[in-house]
Amino acid sequence: MKGLTSCDGKSMKAILSYYVLPLTLYLNSVVAASQFTRSNITETAAITNNIETSQSIAQYKESILEYESRYGVYDHRLGEQLLGLGLLYKESGQYEKAHEVLKRALLINNVNHSPDNTKQIPILREQIALNIATQNWEQLDQNYNRLLLIYSRKKDPDDPTTITIMKIIADWKLEAFHHKLLTRPYTSFSEAAETYRLIVEQIESTRGENDPVLVEALYIQAMFNSHIYWKKTRSVRSILKQIVDICNNNPSLSDANLTEALVHLADFHLYDAHRASSIKNYQFAYDLLTGNKSNAEHLERSIIKPKPIPFLKM
């Protein structure tokens, strides 16, 4: 055979048609077959999963009927079966059925236990996930209220989830207020404020009134209370004074923390027309920072650069 470099045009076409084109067609067929195989595998897996889910749903239904016939329709043992069935419905995208089954599981739980029992938490979490997936904000708010009732009555200082969950609920209330997600948005604002009052109460009852964990929650409570004018609402001044006391009583908190608290308190005194108290707290903050060169940045940020009043804004 002649080398490719010495072939004329007709010889080159003959070589391409004899060697290259069949090879190209073969490779294309291999790729197509591979894609078809992968597609088949995916479809087969999906069909298999659907069959398995349907079988599992049927088994749960059969088990529920058996429990009902043996123990009655409100027996506490039905709750676990209904939760399992609800999860299967949710995972398969049957949200309406999942909601109805989980609602019944919650009802059975409430019949057999107190309204604040912790056994309903897994059911409520699944309900909340459903509410978010379907954007059912009214039901989401109701389920968050149930969850808040449970966690606000827990008094375990070693349980880190309690405060976290309560903050999530407060954040939801505030988001519902800002975006007008509920029929009564202003109620959401007052409920967010009440949730932070409960958070402060929870920390104080489990960790004490001087725990540094309180500082963040107290600042947020102060922000809420500066916008609410109920007679029973704790004054912003007393909240800020408590933050100053916490910073004074905890060596683990820095001078910057204490300075920030003093400046906030001074700002509030100035806004509330108590100039003498305001100047006194500004002076305390200034003296605290000027005693240490490493505090120069905090000095400039907290005292030298003016800030708008009021300082507490949502």
Side-chain angles (χ1 to χ4, degrees):
M1 182 185 294
K2 295 180 179 180
L4 290 177
T5 53
S6 61
C7 289
D8 55 20
K10 291 182 179 179
S11 299
M12 181 61 71
K13 286 181 180 179
I15 291 170
L16 287 173
S17 63
Y18 188 80
Y19 291 103
V20 179
L21 291 179
L23 179 60
T24 303
L25 291 173
Y26 171 73
L27 291 175
N28 286 340
S29 67
V30 171
V31 171
S34 174
Q35 291 174 344
F36 178 75
T37 302
R38 284 199 298 271
S39 176
N40 274 359
I41 291 172
T42 303
E43 290 177 7
T44 302
I47 292 170
T48 303
N49 287 336
N50 288 336
I51 292 172
E52 290 177 351
T53 300
S54 298
Q55 289 174 343
S56 297
I57 288 173
Q59 289 170 357
Y60 267 111
K61 285 182 173 180
E62 185 179 344
S63 178
I64 288 167
L65 288 172
E66 183 181 348
Y67 271 78
E68 288 175 342
S69 64
R70 292 178 63 183
Y71 307 111
V73 294
Y74 287 106
D75 186 78
H76 68 93
R77 282 163 286 200
L78 276 168
E80 186 177 344
Q81 301 297 316
L82 289 166
L83 177 58
L85 179 59
L87 284 170
L88 284 174
Y89 277 138
K90 190 190 80 167
E91 290 169 1
S92 60
Q94 301 179 69
Y95 293 149
E96 189 173 342
K97 289 183 178 180
H99 171 68
E100 290 303 319
V101 169
L102 291 172
K103 187 166 72 171
R104 187 186 169 199
L106 196 59
L107 173 63
I108 290 172
N109 175 279
N110 291 338
V111 167
N112 288 280
H113 306 284
S114 63
D116 60 347
N117 78 90
T118 57
K119 292 181 180 179
Q120 63 187 314
I121 291 176
I123 305 171
L124 285 171
R125 284 179 175 170
E126 295 304 325
Q127 284 262 43
I128 286 167
L130 273 176
N131 297 151
I132 293 171
T134 57
Q135 297 187 359
N136 192 331
W137 307 130
E138 296 290 342
Q139 286 186 357
L140 175 63
D141 192 58
Q142 291 175 15
N143 286 321
Y144 269 139
N145 286 339
R146 291 190 183 103
L147 205 59
L148 180 61
L149 174 66
I150 298 167
Y151 278 99
S152 63
R153 294 184 180 181
K154 290 179 70 177
K155 303 297 180 184
D156 183 2
D158 297 320
D159 181 10
T161 61
T162 299
I163 301 303
T164 302
I165 295 295
M166 293 175 76
K167 285 181 178 179
I168 289 171
I169 295 170
D171 290 344
W172 149 250
K173 299 284 186 183
L174 199 56
E175 184 180 355
F177 166 74
H178 283 311
H179 298 288
K180 296 179 173 62
L181 298 177
L182 301 174
T183 52
R184 296 185 300 170
Y186 288 100
T187 302
S188 300
F189 184 86
S190 60
E191 286 178 353
E194 173 62 12
T195 303
Y196 261 97
R197 186 193 69 77
L198 291 172
I199 289 172
V200 170
E201 184 182 274
Q202 176 77 220
I203 298 172
E204 287 180 340
S205 65
T206 57
R207 305 174 70 99
E209 295 183 359
N210 278 308
D211 195 281
V213 175
L214 271 168
V215 171
E216 180 188 0
L218 285 169
Y219 273 130
I220 297 173
Q221 187 185 28
M223 282 192 286
F224 276 115
N225 289 11
S226 67
H227 293 268
I228 297 174
Y229 302 99
W230 300 332
K231 289 183 179 179
K232 293 184 179 180
T233 301
R234 183 182 178 188
S235 73
V236 175
R237 186 183 297 106
S238 70
I239 294 172
L240 296 176
K241 283 182 177 179
Q242 183 179 354
I243 295 172
V244 170
D245 290 340
I246 291 171
C247 293
N248 265 320
N249 295 329
N250 284 276
S252 61
L253 297 176
S254 66
D255 289 347
N257 296 127
L258 178 55
T259 301
E260 183 182 8
L262 287 167
V263 169
H264 281 321
L265 181 58
D267 286 348
F268 185 80
H269 280 309
L270 188 63
Y271 175 68
D272 210 27
H274 291 81
R275 297 181 63 84
S277 298
S278 175
I279 291 171
K280 183 174 76 171
N281 283 294
Y282 281 137
Q283 188 63 50
F284 283 156
Y286 180 80
D287 292 343
L288 186 66
L289 290 180
T290 53
N292 190 334
K293 291 182 180 179
S294 63
N295 289 327
E297 181 183 344
H298 297 296
L299 178 66
E300 183 177 4
R301 186 173 68 246
S302 301
I303 296 179
I304 296 176
K305 289 185 178 180
K307 293 183 180 180
I309 303 295
F311 68 97
L312 295 167
K313 295 182 180 180
M314 300 305 297

